[in-house]
Amino acid sequence: MGPSRLHGLIDGVFAIALTLLVLDLPRPRDSAHLAHDLADQWPSYAAYLVSFVTVGILWIEHHGMMSAVRQINRRFLERTLLFLLFVSIIPWPTAIAADYADQGSQATAAAVLYAGVMMLMGLSFALSWQYLAAHPQLVAEPARTALRAGTRRALLGGLVYAVAIAVAFLSPTASFAIDAVVALYFAASKTEVPGLIHRAAQAGEE
Amino acid sequence: MGPSRLHGLIDGVFAIALTLLVLDLPRPRDSAHLAHDLADQWPSYAAYLVSFVTVGILWIEHHGMMSAVRQINRRFLERTLLFLLFVSIIPWPTAIAADYADQGSQATAAAVLYAGVMMLMGLSFALSWQYLAAHPQLVAEPARTALRAGTRRALLGGLVYAVAIAVAFLSPTASFAIDAVVALYFAASKTEVPGLIHRAAQAGEE
Amino acid sequence: MGPSRLHGLIDGVFAIALTLLVLDLPRPRDSAHLAHDLADQWPSYAAYLVSFVTVGILWIEHHGMMSAVRQINRRFLERTLLFLLFVSIIPWPTAIAADYADQGSQATAAAVLYAGVMMLMGLSFALSWQYLAAHPQLVAEPARTALRAGTRRALLGGLVYAVAIAVAFLSPTASFAIDAVVALYFAASKTEVPGLIHRAAQAGEE
Amino acid sequence: MGPSRLHGLIDGVFAIALTLLVLDLPRPRDSAHLAHDLADQWPSYAAYLVSFVTVGILWIEHHGMMSAVRQINRRFLERTLLFLLFVSIIPWPTAIAADYADQGSQATAAAVLYAGVMMLMGLSFALSWQYLAAHPQLVAEPARTALRAGTRRALLGGLVYAVAIAVAFLSPTASFAIDAVVALYFAASKTEVPGLIHRAAQAGEE
């Protein structure tokens, strides 16, 4: 089974998750100080931005992985669905993080929830990489040597969120800051996985 | 007419149905015990999970069927739309199941509604299989022998939900448990329809 | 410019319009008579069904038209966007029709709104057909003779809704019945446009 | 990396942004004067229309740009994501503009917000053009000469919205009128970028 049709489902879920985030940007009702009330909602904008960038970068990374895949099977499809489960759920912890980020003692639970979903998203991405590393025949030959680096990179993402969960009990603000820094770090890295795209390109496909 | 463009509509409806489920995950407002209130919402998470897995597995199964289809006609398109009708409706019984699963006597109606929509989804999937079995010229030759097995498998799914409807009058909890077990059973099966993908692959397509 | 990428936008808007309809299926809150309250919502189910079938059949008809298109230009893109405007708006009159269908004197306004949006959808579809009829070089040769029949068929759909608007002032129920009958009529017709698909197939494309 | 899969994400985000606009069309509840209450909501319809046309035309323009792109890299993907961030956010300022357009002193903030998001959308589109102009090897040869014109055109769009922001402090109504005129102006222009499509076509692709 070729991977092409799976792209339709993946891109659809990502596009919708990215776009549904907008439904949680609050719309002040009957405000007499609209400019002020809009400015007051900055935690919602920050949460929107961090989630959008994280999910967007994740799409790029996942797209990089998929560009090396030449064949898929049912077990790989199932791991992909598990990953999409956590992608599609993103608007939910984002809305809760925006609501409770500045709510004193409740902010810890919100920060744990947010980093927890992100961690599960990272770990389920690592599960996809790891499956490919264990079944290199599914992958274009020049890209096979990059599979372990990809697994490590996704695991690293997941583990940083584990740190963010622990930090949330000391300082929810610091925990959210870690979430934001992860997004920026992966946005600033030059390639998905060192050499992956280059090697896939050498294979002369996509 | 080739089936390729139909994939866009199918994948779109599935991706959106999977992702709209998130809109019904409740967001506690002004909670003073956020961690506790989040934990209290476990029926919503369970309903989300069962629906996501069921729809996800169904996408895999439907994808398996479509990978064998070489040509479509208007009647097949209409059966596909009927199937998509029930896929797109899933967030509705899911939200009601989450709201009423632990509401004593009202849980029966919620369990009947949930299993009822799932049953119609399964039966309409069986209708698509059955149409292909009756018009094998629409299907790649090596996959034709698998069409009856596919019809049976989809019918079986539909019939198990009929049992879940009957059980709901005795115990709604047992009925929901059946829904969850169906999802797990189909997730654990190795191939969509024994030999289908293998035979489609032999045909050298997709 | 080839038409292939336009399919992605069209299929996306259709898939989302079909699926967003579910957000307006009401979810009884804290009901003590869930089965009864669910049954009471039958106007919502009827509205859902008629809109889903109408939009679904329209996708099939539009898909038939597009399968004959070989080339597009900016003017055709703009007519397609106009058509998509009315497709994407469907959940709105559907929700209002469901809310007011049994509300005595207000039902007239709801029926006019519903049939009005449907009429504009049909007329904008006719505009696309008519543009192709005026620029046959955009269409595969064997399908060119079917363009006038396609324009007439879409116009006919639009005009029947004009009748439904007029009827709404006498009887909103009769007006809604016309909307339902149109959906059934087009669902029962055998081909999009007599000979179109056949001729497009002869052209050996898609 | 070829650009084909990026189209799936872009078309998905556009299709969803266009369709989510419908969720903000208000649905009068328990109205005793439905026709009158529907007519009263005209600012919502105007906002819907302007946003739909603006985003739709932007899709056409972006589609024109992408039809000339032959190769993409990670930096271009990131600029595309930035652009999609502003596309996906559109339903939010649209809903606020509809709510406050006729609310006296609050209308200024709504008009600034609306034109501000539109300006950022235009400028981020210009950033994509500019990246291609600086890396012409990503673009099909005959289209390379059009890249500066494309950048200028997108910048022009962004700058007109800067004017709309300034005007909002004098007259919010005039500011909204500018937004509407921009949509009409770009809808009326004959090609995305003078010569772009023609030149891309000469390259014999898409």
Side-chain angles (χ1 to χ4, degrees), chain A residues 7 11 15-16 19 22 25-32 34 45 48 52 56 61 63 186-190 192 206, chain D residues 1-2 5-6 9 12-13 16 20 24 74-75 77-78 81 84-85 88-89 92 95-96 99-100 106 109-110:
Chain A
H7 295 168
D11 294 346
I16 302 157
T19 318
V22 77
L25 284 181
R27 293 150 199 206
R29 293 248 161 237
D30 302 318
S31 166
L34 184 55
Y45 312 143
Y48 182 92
F52 192 99
E61 301 265 335
H63 175 274
F186 279 97
S189 21
K190 216 158 174 182
E192 291 80 52
E206 213 206 2
Chain D
M1 206 172 3
R5 248 202 83 197
L6 184 54
L9 190 76
V13 169
I16 301 157
L20 282 189
D24 292 305
R74 181 153 177 142
R75 288 291 164 255
L77 280 180
E78 286 171 3
L81 278 175
L84 293 180
L85 170 69
S88 73
I89 223 174
W92 181 63
I96 290 174
D99 280 357
Y100 289 93
Q106 307 311 313

Side-chain angles (χ1 to χ4, degrees), chain A residues 20 23, chain B residues 16 19-24 88-89 91-92, chain C residues 16-27 48 91 95, chain D residues 19-20 22-23 27 29:
Chain A
L20 282 188
L23 297 184
Chain B
I16 301 157
T19 318
L20 282 188
L21 286 168
V22 77
L23 297 184
D24 292 305
S88 72
I89 224 174
W92 181 63
Chain C
I16 301 157
L18 285 173
T19 319
L20 282 188
L21 286 168
V22 77
L23 297 183
D24 291 306
L25 285 180
R27 293 149 198 206
Y48 182 90
Chain D
T19 318
L20 282 189
V22 77
L23 297 183
R27 294 150 199 206
R29 294 248 160 236

Side-chain angles (χ1 to χ4, degrees), chain A residues 54-75:
Chain A
T54 307
V55 174
I57 297 298
L58 204 66
W59 181 83
I60 297 183
E61 301 265 335
H62 195 265
H63 175 274
M65 182 185 82
M66 290 301 294
S67 72
V69 173
R70 291 294 161 255
Q71 223 189 326
I72 53 174
N73 59 28
R74 180 153 178 142
R75 288 291 164 255

Side-chain angles (χ1 to χ4, degrees), chain A residues 1-2 5-6 9 12-13 16-17 20 24 74-75 77-78 81 84-85 88-89 92 95-96 99-100 106 109-110, chain B residues 7 11 16 19 22 25-32 34 45 48 52 56 61 63 186-190 192 206:
Chain A
M1 208 173 1
R5 248 203 82 195
L6 184 54
L9 189 76
V13 168
I16 302 157
L20 282 188
D24 292 305
R74 180 153 178 142
R75 288 291 164 255
L77 280 180
E78 286 172 2
L81 278 176
L84 293 180
L85 171 69
S88 74
I89 224 174
W92 181 63
I96 290 174
D99 279 358
Y100 289 94
Q106 306 311 314
Chain B
H7 294 168
D11 294 346
I16 301 157
T19 318
V22 77
L25 285 180
R27 294 148 200 207
R29 293 250 159 234
D30 303 318
S31 165
L34 184 56
Y45 311 142
Y48 182 91
F52 191 98
E61 302 264 334
H63 175 274
F186 279 97
S189 20
K190 217 161 175 182
E192 291 80 53
E206 216 210 1

Side-chain angles (χ1 to χ4, degrees), chain C residues 37-55:
Chain C
D37 289 354
L38 285 171
D40 251 20
Q41 297 178 163
W42 68 265
S44 289
Y45 311 143
Y48 182 90
L49 206 65
V50 173
S51 287
F52 191 98
V53 172
T54 306
V55 174

Side-chain angles (χ1 to χ4, degrees), chain A residues 186-201:
Chain A
F186 279 97
S189 21
K190 216 158 174 182
T191 52
E192 291 80 52
V193 172
L196 173 65
I197 293 299
H198 182 62
R199 284 180 194 124

